[in-house]
């Protein structure tokens, strides 16, 4: 029988790539969707019609229990979150509830549906759980590169909420013997990235400027450094983590760090533009507390998972610029296709 996976955050960047990957591995894939509107995966997946949907919300414990009871998944990937760091200052309580306490609700849904009670019973839970932890937990780092043992010093309500979810996942593993793991993923991007994140903001602006639709791009901290990889590569690591014999946490990144300025320079040059003629620094985009630099040491993932990234930074930025040039050059209705299946 096909293995069955439930993905929260199916409408997001990673949800779509993970769903495609699991479908290609022969999985039955379910996605949790919230709200009343007819959901769709923002045209992100050719395979949208093959994904089954169930209604639920990380704010609503009952809906998560009902989803797990209905589907009986072999694996749960908790990707749902408020994931945009600046929003986490504007809606700190909501971020804590969704990105942080949402992890507790999902773990509790699995625990209760698996009939696990107070005592530690190793291996008793059949449902394997993946938590989308983040390099934002490292925050203000005093060692580089960062490993699974680097201490956390989160710099935003988002980073704090992720640290809570991370420790809780570890705690449920240790308390109840659940197969619950965290992937500490560094920034990963794609043509499906939300337009508010810096890579996509830049690739969209390059396309607009190239096509004469705009002249200026306003950005915040150009000195910030990130370890940027391709989302399509990173979802393979998520899946590999749930196929291990023992539940363990892994850092996933490329091990190479670049500044926002380097990103901008490359993206503009790919379109034959000089970034200095178009980019303006605007304090409106500077954060109350930024993470100045992050760089992964993915050594454990390379050695134990046999995972490694296939897409270079240059290829990634090229993909994004090319995709946005095509997107903005194409006239007509680019509304994405609907899911063909019903929503539970
Ligand atoms: P994303 O594109 O922002 O997607 C977030 C998803 O969360 C969306 O599907 C959204 O659904 C869903 N969501 C929001 N509130 C929810 C709620 N109350 N209940 C259920 N679902 C809810 O994020 P992503 O880039 O794919 O990232 C996936 C996960 O990895 C997130 O947890 C993120 O924090 C984490 N992460 C991302 C990165 C990265 O660089 N991309 C790095 C480390 C960790 P709607 O469409 O309904 O809003
Ligand atoms: O910012 C700087 C900004 O918003 C990257 C999320 O997926 O990765 C992501 O979080 C850097 C920051 O991503 C602008 O100050 C400058 O230093 O693309 P970002 P993020 O905050 O690193 C982690 C791993 C996650 O887990 C998160 O969910 O770029 N920057 N100027 C700017 N950033 C934005 N967004 N917009 C600017 O104008």
């Amino acid at each position: 029988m096909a293995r069955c996976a439930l993905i929260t955050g199916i409408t997001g960047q990673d949800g779509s790539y993970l769903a495609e990957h699991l479908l290609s591995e022969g999985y039955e894939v379910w996605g949790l969707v919230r709200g009343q509107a007819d959901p769709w995966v923002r045209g992100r997946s050719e395979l949208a019609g093959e994904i089954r949907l169930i209604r639920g919300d990380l704010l609503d414990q009952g809906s998560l229990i009902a989803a797990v009871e209905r589907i009986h998944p072999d694996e749960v990937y908790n990707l749902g979150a408020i994931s945009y760091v600046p929003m986490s200052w504007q809606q700190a309580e909501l971020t804590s509830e969704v990105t942080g306490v949402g992890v507790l609700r999902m773990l509790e849904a699995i625990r209760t549906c698996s009939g696990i009670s107070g005592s530690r019973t190793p291996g008793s839970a059949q449902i394997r759980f993946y938590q989308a932890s983040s390099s934002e937990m490292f925050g203000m780092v005093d060692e580089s590169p960062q490993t699974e043992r680097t201490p956390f010093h989160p710099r935003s309500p988002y980073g704090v909420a992720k640290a809570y979810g991370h420790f809780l996942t570890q705690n449920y593993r240790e308390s109840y013997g659940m197969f619950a793991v965290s992937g500490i993923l560094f920034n990963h991007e794609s043509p499906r990235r939300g337009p508010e994140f810096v890579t996509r903001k830049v690739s969209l602006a390059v396309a607009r400027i190239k096509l004469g639709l705009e002249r200026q791009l306003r950005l915040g901290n150009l000195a910030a450094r990130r370890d940027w990889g391709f989302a399509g590569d990173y979802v393979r690591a998520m899946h590999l983590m749930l196929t291990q014999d023992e539940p363990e946490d892994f850092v996933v990144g490329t091990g190479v760090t670049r500044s926002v300025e380097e990103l901008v320079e490359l993206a503009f040059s790919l379109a034959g533009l000089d970034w200095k003629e178009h980019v303006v620094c605007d304090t409106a985009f500077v954060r109350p507390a930024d993470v100045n630099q992050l760089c992964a040491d993915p050594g454990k993932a390379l050695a134990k998972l046999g995972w490694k990234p296939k897409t270079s930074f240059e290829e990634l930025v090229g993909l994004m610029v090319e995709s946005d040039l095509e997107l903005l050059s194409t006239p007509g209705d680019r509304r994405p296709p609907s899911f063909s299946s019903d929503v539970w």
Side-chain angles (χ1 to χ4, degrees):
M1 220 168 73
R3 283 183 75 74
C4 175
L6 169 63
I7 302 174
T8 73
I10 190 88
T11 58
Q13 171 188 255
D14 292 6
S16 70
Y17 281 108
L18 179 63
E20 286 170 3
H21 177 66
L22 294 177
L23 285 169
S24 75
E25 295 279 318
Y27 275 66
E28 176 185 332
V29 175
W30 285 80
L32 191 86
V33 291
R34 67 199 176 107
Q36 290 185 324
D38 280 346
W40 41 271
V41 186
R42 303 179 195 159
R44 294 174 162 198
S45 178
E46 297 293 316
L47 299 167
E50 292 182 42
I51 300 165
R52 305 183 73 181
L53 298 177
I54 189 154
R55 247 189 248 293
D57 196 307
L58 288 165
L59 295 172
D60 182 2
Q61 179 73 76
S63 71
L64 301 180
I65 293 174
V68 174
E69 269 177 354
R70 161 77 182 80
I71 299 169
H72 288 294
D74 300 296
E75 298 169 10
V76 172
Y77 294 86
N78 186 39
L79 310 186
I82 288 175
S83 76
Y84 184 45
V85 171
M87 183 171 161
S88 78
W89 278 284
Q90 290 153 359
Q91 297 187 22
E93 185 181 344
L94 185 64
T95 303
S96 307
E97 279 292 337
V98 176
T99 306
V101 184
V103 185
L104 171 67
R105 294 192 188 98
M106 198 70 238
L107 284 164
E108 273 297 289
I110 294 171
R111 188 182 71 80
T112 53
C113 294
S114 307
I116 303 169
S117 58
S119 58
R120 186 176 188 277
T121 44
S124 58
Q126 296 307 309
I127 302 175
R128 295 187 166 205
F129 176 78
Y130 172 87
Q131 168 57 18
S133 284
S134 164
S135 53
E136 283 292 302
M137 300 184 306
F138 296 127
M140 194 151 73
V141 293
D142 51 21
E143 72 179 34
S144 201
Q146 293 83 52
T147 72
E148 292 76 9
R149 293 172 306 286
T150 300
F152 296 159
H153 184 153
R155 295 273 282 167
S156 62
Y158 169 80
V160 173
K162 281 289 177 187
Y164 170 82
H166 181 84
F167 284 126
L168 204 73
T169 301
Q170 222 168 52
N171 180 261
Y172 269 54
R173 178 165 83 219
E174 293 170 5
S175 303
Y176 301 116
M178 287 171 63
F179 195 109
V181 303
S182 288
I184 307 176
L185 269 52
F186 284 61
N187 299 53
H188 46 280
E189 320 293 316
S190 72
R192 302 176 193 176
R193 185 59 142 152
E196 63 274 46
F197 298 95
V198 76
T199 52
R200 188 76 196 287
K201 186 173 171 180
V202 169
S203 64
L204 278 166
V206 165
R208 281 196 205 103
I209 292 169
K210 183 72 184 171
L211 296 171
L213 304 171
E214 209 166 79
R215 278 210 47 78
Q216 223 180 46
L217 166 62
R218 306 184 82 79
L219 290 173
N221 181 5
L222 293 184
R225 302 186 71 85
R226 289 292 185 278
D227 178 334
W228 278 295
F230 172 52
D233 288 341
Y234 287 36
V235 298
R236 286 187 287 110
M238 297 177 187
H239 178 225
L240 284 168
M241 280 181 227
L242 293 197
T243 62
Q244 299 302 295
D245 291 337
E246 295 299 326
E248 284 184 66
D249 302 331
F250 288 88
V251 157
V252 177
T254 69
V256 181
T257 179
R258 319 272 179 156
S259 66
V260 174
E261 186 174 317
E262 287 172 289
L263 159 74
V264 166
E265 189 176 1
L266 173 62
F268 276 78
S269 72
L270 287 171
L273 297 167
D274 179 356
W275 71 276
K276 288 189 177 142
E277 290 174 9
H278 302 283
V279 173
V280 174
C281 286
D282 185 339
T283 51
F285 296 106
V286 175
R287 300 174 182 185
D290 205 353
V291 170
N292 292 329
Q293 53 165 322
L294 290 172
C295 183
D297 175 352
K300 182 179 171 189
L302 266 62
K304 281 202 166 175
L305 299 178
W307 174 85
K308 71 172 186 230
K310 292 180 183 165
T311 314
S312 71
F313 178 71
E314 289 73 16
E315 287 167 334
L316 170 66
V317 177
L319 266 177
M320 294 179 72
V321 169
E322 195 184 323
S323 165
D324 282 331
L325 274 167
E326 195 196 326
L327 181 77
L328 299 184
S329 310
T330 312
D333 183 10
R334 293 183 63 87
R335 194 176 179 279
S338 316
F339 279 108
S340 58
S341 48
D342 288 338
V343 182
W344 282 86

